[in-house]
Amino acid sequence: MDQDSHCTAERELLEAVSRITTSSTTNPSDEEENQPKAEISCQVRKENPEKDDTQDSSATLSPNSSMTTKELQEYWRNEKRQCKQIKLLFEIPSTRIVEHHLSKYVMYKIIILQTGSFDSNKSVIERRYSDFEKLHRNLLEEFSEEMEDVTFPKKTLTGNFTEEIINERKLAFKDYLRLLYSMKYIRRSKKFIDFLTRPELQEAYGCLRGGQYTKALEILLEVIGLQERLTRGNPVSVVPTLCAIVVCHKDLENPASAFEYGEKALSRLCVHTSHRYYIPLLETMITLAYELGKDFLSLQEKLEEWKTKKDPIRIFTLKELAVREYVQ
C-alpha cells in the first residue's frame, strides 16, 4: 500500500473510534452533521468491482456502530498488518512440454515468493503461453495506457518447442510478470490476481462440489497464502476461500481447524456485516464452538443482533455458498 493511503486509512479509523468511544451530551453542530462518515478502505481501485465487492471493500462506521472499542482496536491492528507493503518476486526456473491428444504446448513453472526475507511459504503454479496471452489481451482492454510500453513475446511459425525459444520465453515471461507487478493498478486488478489464482481455485471448488474434501483442502491451503499476499489491501476478498477451507475441515471432521480458519474469516468481516458470508459463517462458528466446548454466547449475540436489524431473507448455509463459487 502507498504511504499516503496508509496514513489516510489510519486517520479515518482513529476519527471513527473517537466518535464511537466519546460520549457527548450536546447536539452536534451543523458542520459536524454535514461531515461524511468515515470509511475504512486500504485500497484505491481503478477498476469497477462487482456489486458485492463494492459493498465489502469499505465499511461505514457511525456512532450507532455495534462494535466495541476492543473490537475496533483489534480490527485496526489487523488492518495495519494487512496494509503493510509486500513485495513479491517471480521466478520461472523450469518448463515441461505437454502432449495431449492432438495438442502440444509448454507449461511454465512460476515460483512466487516474498522478497526481503527467507520465504518458506512460496507459491508454485504452472501456466502455458495461451494463459499469458489471454492475460495480456485482458489487461490491454482496461489498462491501455499503462501497457503502452509492455512488450509480449510473440509466437513464431516454427521452433516454438526448441530449447532456445523456450529459454527466451522463460526470461521474457519473468520480466513480464515483474513489470506488471510493479504497476500499482495492474497488480491490484482482478484480472492479474485471477491469472495467478483462479485456475487453482476453480480446481479446488470443483473437488469440493464433488465431495473430494481432502484434495480440495490441499489446493485451497496452497493458494490461500498467495491470494492473501496479492490482496493485502482488500482482506475481505479472501473470505470465500477461508470459508471453503472451513467447510472442508468441517466435513473431514476437523472441528478445531475449521474453527481456526473461521475465526480468520470472521475477523475480516467485523465491519462488513452485510457480506453474504457473514451470517452463514456466524451460524457455522456457533455450531463449531458448541461442539468444541468453547464460549459461543458472543457469537450468538451477534447473530441475534443482526436478525433484529435485518428483514428476514433467504440465507444459504456456508456449504451452499461455497459450492456456488466458481460455477461456470
Side-chain angles (χ1 to χ4, degrees):
M1 157 164 290
D2 297 336
Q3 187 65 29
D4 57 346
S5 299
H6 178 88
C7 293
T8 300
E10 182 174 10
R11 183 173 61 255
E12 290 176 342
L13 184 64
L14 290 175
E15 291 173 355
V17 172
S18 177
R19 289 200 300 272
I20 294 172
T21 58
T22 304
S23 298
S24 175
T25 58
T26 60
N27 292 327
S29 65
D30 291 340
E31 182 181 355
E32 290 172 334
E33 288 179 345
N34 292 331
Q35 289 294 324
K37 295 179 181 179
E39 289 187 350
I40 310 305
S41 178
C42 291
Q43 179 178 5
V44 178
R45 301 177 64 182
K46 181 177 180 180
E47 64 176 0
N48 292 324
E50 296 177 357
K51 183 177 180 181
D52 285 343
D53 294 335
T54 302
Q55 294 174 341
D56 300 335
S57 63
S58 64
T60 300
L61 296 180
S62 70
N64 296 323
S65 172
S66 61
M67 293 181 68
T68 65
T69 302
K70 182 179 179 181
E71 287 174 329
L72 280 168
Q73 291 172 343
E74 179 61 27
Y75 173 76
W76 178 235
R77 281 194 291 269
N78 289 335
E79 283 296 293
K80 288 179 72 176
R81 286 194 292 268
Q82 292 294 335
C83 294
K84 185 178 179 181
Q85 185 176 5
I86 294 294
K87 292 185 178 180
L88 299 181
L89 180 68
F90 298 87
E91 296 288 347
I92 304 182
S94 61
T95 61
R96 62 188 179 94
I97 297 176
V98 178
E99 295 190 53
H100 184 67
H101 297 305
L102 299 177
S103 65
K104 182 179 179 182
Y105 52 88
V106 179
M107 293 293 289
Y108 295 85
K109 181 179 180 180
I110 306 169
I111 297 179
I112 308 162
L113 58 150
Q114 182 178 330
T115 61
S117 61
F118 176 73
D119 189 359
S120 59
N121 297 316
K122 63 186 179 183
S123 301
V124 181
I125 60 176
E126 282 190 318
R127 298 293 182 266
R128 54 189 290 188
Y129 182 94
S130 60
D131 295 324
F132 282 97
E133 194 174 38
K134 181 180 178 181
L135 169 66
H136 192 69
R137 285 197 311 269
N138 290 339
L139 292 177
L140 282 174
E141 292 176 359
E142 189 171 355
F143 303 101
S144 56
E145 291 184 13
E146 291 87 342
M147 299 287 292
E148 192 173 26
D149 297 324
V150 178
T151 58
F152 187 82
K154 298 185 181 299
K155 277 188 175 180
T156 58
L157 294 176
T158 59
N160 285 299
F161 300 100
T162 64
E163 184 177 353
E164 181 182 2
I165 293 296
I166 291 175
N167 286 333
E168 285 179 3
R169 286 184 179 166
K170 278 170 53 179
L171 295 174
F173 284 140
K174 173 186 172 180
D175 291 339
Y176 178 74
L177 291 173
R178 177 189 58 78
L179 184 56
L180 293 182
Y181 185 76
S182 71
M183 293 183 276
K184 179 175 65 175
Y185 290 124
I186 290 181
R187 73 169 174 263
R188 293 176 175 178
S189 70
K190 186 176 185 299
K191 292 174 181 178
F192 182 68
I193 294 171
D194 278 353
F195 168 79
L196 296 170
T197 61
R198 189 177 181 88
E200 286 73 23
L201 287 172
Q202 285 179 320
E203 181 183 1
Y205 279 99
C207 292
L208 191 155
R209 283 188 290 273
Q212 299 174 279
Y213 301 114
T214 301
K215 179 63 175 176
L217 183 60
E218 178 185 337
I219 300 171
L220 290 168
L221 291 176
E222 287 181 0
V223 77
I224 186 63
L226 174 58
Q227 196 179 16
E228 287 180 322
R229 293 174 187 179
L230 291 167
T231 59
R232 297 290 281 195
N234 184 20
V236 176
S237 63
V238 301
V239 165
T241 306
L242 289 171
C243 288
I245 293 174
V246 172
V247 169
C248 289
H249 274 306
K250 190 171 184 296
D251 278 48
L252 290 170
E253 299 183 355
N254 300 324
S257 296
F259 192 84
E260 175 189 348
Y261 279 93
E263 285 187 314
K264 292 180 180 180
L266 206 55
S267 70
R268 288 159 169 80
L269 296 178
C270 60
V271 293
H272 302 280
T273 58
S274 62
H275 194 284
R276 68 189 187 281
Y277 272 88
Y278 181 69
I279 293 305
L281 178 59
L282 264 183
E283 292 175 336
T284 300
M285 290 294 284
I286 291 169
T287 301
L288 290 169
Y290 180 80
E291 183 178 348
L292 293 168
K294 295 179 178 289
D295 177 24
F296 59 88
L297 292 179
S298 61
L299 296 171
Q300 188 69 47
E301 288 173 359
K302 289 179 180 179
L303 180 61
E304 295 302 324
E305 182 181 359
W306 187 93
K307 288 182 177 179
T308 60
K309 290 181 179 179
K310 303 290 183 180
D311 294 329
I313 56 174
R314 166 98 164 94
I315 297 293
F316 293 109
T317 66
L318 197 67
K319 188 172 183 178
E320 287 173 337
L321 278 178
V323 299
R324 281 171 164 76
E325 294 286 344
Y326 292 95
V327 174
Q328 299 298 323

